[in-house]
Amino acid sequence: MKNLKLLFLALIVLFSFSITKAQNKKIDISKSLITWTGKKITGEHQGTIKFKEGVLVFKNNKIIDGNFVADMNTLTNTDQTGSSKAKLEGHLKSDDFFGTDNFNTALLDFKSSTGKGKNTYTITANLTIKGDTHPVIFDLVVKGNTATANVSVDRTKYNIRYGSGSFFDDLGDKTIYDIFDLKVDLVF
């Protein structure tokens, strides 16, 4: 009977060591940032968007999950100044683009994470912009308490078609490319 109790106790201890709890690491929204680049035939514009919240979930020091909320009301243009800057920011926040009066957040929710190499993960996630959700795939690189990713997004999938040569003819040099790029810098 004593040996059975010791065996049972040993199994409990062994089992408790084999279970590693997931660790949630919230991002520091004051230091984390999304930098966007939108291109058109005649050039490009860049700007930033801040996070409202976000978390990466680790288990055994590997990313297994994550979700993020971007505050679309913080969308800014960083390559212009004065009235040109204000005009572009207003247009991007309008219904022609992100419609921030009705859709003040964008969401990214991880669906899977696959190790790709040292500290690099291929992430499959659902991205929701303007109420439309579509999958995106990107690489996430983790170094210490930071992570970075580059994500390309086809805006037309999210009903953002203004100036798109895929939907309108004869735009000429007013054509805006469908793909915009996001450089994501996370600090947690």
Side-chain angles (χ1 to χ4, degrees):
M1 182 71 144
K2 189 174 185 179
N3 286 341
L4 188 58
K5 286 181 182 178
L6 285 173
L7 179 62
F8 182 70
L9 183 59
L11 287 173
I12 289 175
V13 170
L14 191 64
F15 183 70
S16 67
F17 282 117
S18 68
I19 297 176
T20 303
K21 289 185 177 182
Q23 181 184 14
N24 292 345
K25 293 187 178 184
K26 288 185 177 184
I27 64 166
D28 182 337
I29 61 171
S30 68
K31 295 178 182 174
S32 299
L33 190 65
I34 303 165
T35 302
W36 60 265
T37 302
K39 298 178 182 177
K40 55 186 180 175
I41 287 181
T42 58
E44 66 182 38
H45 290 293
Q46 292 183 331
T48 61
I49 303 168
K50 294 181 181 179
F51 287 98
K52 195 170 193 173
E53 61 186 71
V55 65
L56 288 172
V57 181
F58 290 82
K59 187 171 184 179
N60 296 325
N61 293 320
K62 295 183 181 184
I63 292 179
I64 61 167
D65 201 0
N67 57 70
F68 301 90
V69 179
D71 183 350
M72 296 306 291
N73 287 314
T74 66
L75 185 147
T76 62
N77 169 242
T78 57
D79 64 278
Q80 294 179 311
T81 59
S83 63
S84 297
K85 172 184 172 69
K87 183 178 177 183
L88 180 58
E89 288 175 357
H91 196 200
L92 290 172
K93 291 178 182 180
S94 78
D95 289 338
D96 282 345
F97 287 94
F98 295 100
T100 60
D101 284 344
N102 295 314
F103 303 99
N104 57 9
T105 59
L107 311 171
L108 181 78
D109 187 28
F110 288 17
K111 292 298 158 200
S112 68
S113 171
T114 306
K116 187 176 178 178
K118 185 173 178 157
N119 301 322
T120 302
Y121 301 86
T122 298
I123 305 296
T124 301
N126 282 338
L127 177 61
T128 303
I129 299 173
K130 289 182 74 173
D132 289 324
T133 303
H134 297 280
V136 292
I137 298 172
F138 58 91
D139 287 344
L140 182 72
V141 179
V142 179
K143 292 182 181 174
N145 286 333
T146 65
T148 58
N150 292 302
V151 183
S152 293
V153 178
D154 181 347
R155 67 188 176 96
T156 63
K157 290 182 177 181
Y158 302 92
N159 202 26
I160 305 170
R161 297 178 178 168
Y162 181 89
S164 169
S166 299
F167 291 89
F168 301 100
D169 294 328
D170 301 325
L171 292 171
D173 65 0
K174 303 244 187 250
T175 301
I176 302 169
Y177 296 124
D178 293 344
I179 304 297
F180 67 91
D181 297 312
L182 303 173
K183 181 180 178 295
V184 182
D185 293 296
L186 303 173
V187 178
F188 46 91

